[in-house]
Amino acid sequence: MNISISLASKKTRHAVLKPSSNPPIIFTPGEKIRDQAGFMRGHGTYVSEGSLKATVAGVEQNINKLVTVSPLRCRYNGEIGDVVIGRITELVHKRWKVDINARLDAVLLLTSIQLPGGELRRRGMEDEQSMRSYLSEGDLISAEVHSVFADGSLSLHMRSLKYGKLGQGVLVKVQSNLIKRSKNHFHNLSAGVSVILGNNGYIWIEPTNDNKDPVGFEVDLQQVVEIGDRQTISRVRNVVLALSYYKMLIYDTSIQYALEESNKYTVSDLLTAEACYDIVNLTRHRLQAMDE
């Protein structure tokens, strides 16, 4: 077992990256944001003594005259069309309860899944009795948000062939606000692994299979993953956690750049603070150069 020891004076200041030219202003609960005159109160604010004040610790965001405060940390608030990754927690009457890192468990109705083989028909008593053969407690799934209920809970669906039960891979949990919203959340990286970036902060990493059939309910959990694929998955996992630690947006380009910069380190070296700082700093510079 290798142990790395260094003096405190020689350690990298890895708490934050180099400050940008316009760092955001973080408001604490009860702190005055601005005078209310001419502005409307939005989420995360309240009115007191003619001033708008923050109710949560976060960053001010303005939409015309509407003032809101986006919290630094919060539970996932889903929107219709979001791609999510969840874990089955319970089977109830004609539906599954799914943990998606939200305030309330989401609901996946029996009528919101595509039956094995793509068969289109009404769901009967036999389908309800065989629900556990499709999905059981503890299974990981990828799905899409279909609707939002009045209490804020979400209804999911898996009617597309790209959604379904997940097999061999690694689940990584990050803050949901670090996932960049895009049209596509399913990506094949050049390293030979595939990632699903859930809008709820759950990221799934698995080996890329060019001959893979559409995702369904038939998953071979006994299949042996090659050692090379396991090392690549571990590298991607460590890179994603490094981006999350430094609060960088996580999307296909940032992961790919960070993965390329990590090639000079071993997989175990990516667990050290100095290596994470170096990789994330180089990735940030590449992203900034691309935007300029």
Side-chain angles (χ1 to χ4, degrees):
M1 179 179 179
N2 296 327
I3 300 177
S4 178
I5 300 177
S6 59
L7 296 176
S9 59
K10 295 183 179 180
K11 285 188 176 180
T12 306
R13 293 186 59 195
H14 58 272
V16 294
L17 293 175
K18 297 178 181 179
S20 58
S21 57
N22 296 314
I25 300 176
I26 298 177
F27 293 93
T28 57
E31 184 177 356
K32 178 181 176 180
I33 303 173
R34 61 176 70 244
D35 293 331
Q36 185 190 9
F39 293 93
M40 295 186 296
R41 179 179 67 86
H43 293 292
T45 64
Y46 70 98
V47 179
S48 176
E49 299 177 354
S51 301
L52 289 176
K53 297 184 179 181
T55 61
V56 295
V59 181
E60 176 190 6
Q61 290 186 344
N62 296 332
I63 303 177
N64 296 329
K65 297 296 183 178
L66 180 66
V67 179
T68 61
V69 175
S70 298
L72 299 177
R73 279 181 173 271
C74 64
R75 282 283 192 171
Y76 166 65
N77 293 317
E79 299 179 7
I80 297 176
D82 282 356
V83 175
V84 298
I85 295 172
R87 187 181 297 274
I88 303 296
T89 59
E90 186 182 0
L91 275 73
V92 291
H93 179 64
K94 292 186 179 181
R95 67 191 64 195
W96 292 270
K97 293 291 187 69
V98 188
D99 173 24
I100 58 169
N101 193 32
R103 184 173 56 87
L104 300 171
D105 284 348
V107 173
L108 176 63
L109 299 175
L110 178 60
T111 55
S112 298
I113 68 171
Q114 188 166 23
L115 295 175
E119 186 177 0
L120 299 176
R121 58 176 173 80
R122 292 176 61 89
R123 276 59 164 176
M125 183 62 67
E126 294 182 357
D127 295 314
E128 185 177 354
Q129 293 174 348
S130 60
M131 284 178 59
R132 189 166 271 105
S133 65
Y134 301 149
L135 295 170
S136 60
E137 293 87 344
D139 287 344
L140 285 169
I141 63 170
S142 60
E144 182 177 322
V145 177
H146 178 260
S147 61
V148 182
F149 295 116
D151 61 354
S153 60
L154 305 178
S155 175
L156 309 179
H157 81 84
M158 291 169 28
R159 296 192 182 97
S160 174
L161 293 177
K162 63 182 178 180
Y163 303 123
K165 184 178 177 180
L166 301 176
Q168 300 277 36
V170 172
L171 178 67
V172 183
K173 299 180 181 180
V174 301
Q175 295 181 36
S176 59
N177 54 3
L178 294 179
I179 303 297
K180 183 177 181 180
R181 293 183 178 273
S182 60
K183 294 182 179 179
N184 183 26
H185 285 258
F186 296 76
H187 304 285
N188 295 328
L189 303 180
S190 60
V193 298
S194 301
V195 296
I196 305 176
L197 304 177
N199 289 110
N200 59 332
Y202 287 178
I203 300 175
W204 179 254
I205 308 172
E206 63 181 0
T208 300
N209 188 355
D210 296 332
N211 299 323
K212 183 178 180 181
D213 295 329
V215 176
F217 301 105
E218 299 295 331
V219 176
D220 184 10
L221 297 179
Q222 303 300 324
Q223 180 184 2
V224 178
V225 181
E226 299 295 334
I227 182 65
D229 292 335
R230 295 203 297 267
Q231 290 177 344
T232 305
I233 290 174
S234 299
R235 179 178 293 274
V236 175
R237 177 248 183 204
N238 293 343
V239 162
V240 169
L241 290 179
L243 294 173
S244 172
Y245 180 81
Y246 288 102
K247 304 298 184 292
M248 289 192 61
L249 280 180
I250 299 175
Y251 55 107
D252 57 332
T253 305
S254 64
I255 295 176
Q256 183 63 45
Y257 283 175
L259 200 58
E260 294 172 359
E261 298 296 342
S262 71
N263 288 330
K264 57 185 176 182
Y265 297 102
T266 63
V267 176
S268 58
D269 287 341
L270 296 178
L271 298 175
T272 62
E274 288 76 12
C276 291
Y277 178 87
D278 181 38
I279 292 169
V280 175
N281 206 27
L282 293 173
T283 302
R284 190 190 66 162
H285 286 311
R286 290 185 63 177
L287 292 173
Q288 289 178 346
M290 182 181 66
D291 294 336
E292 294 177 353

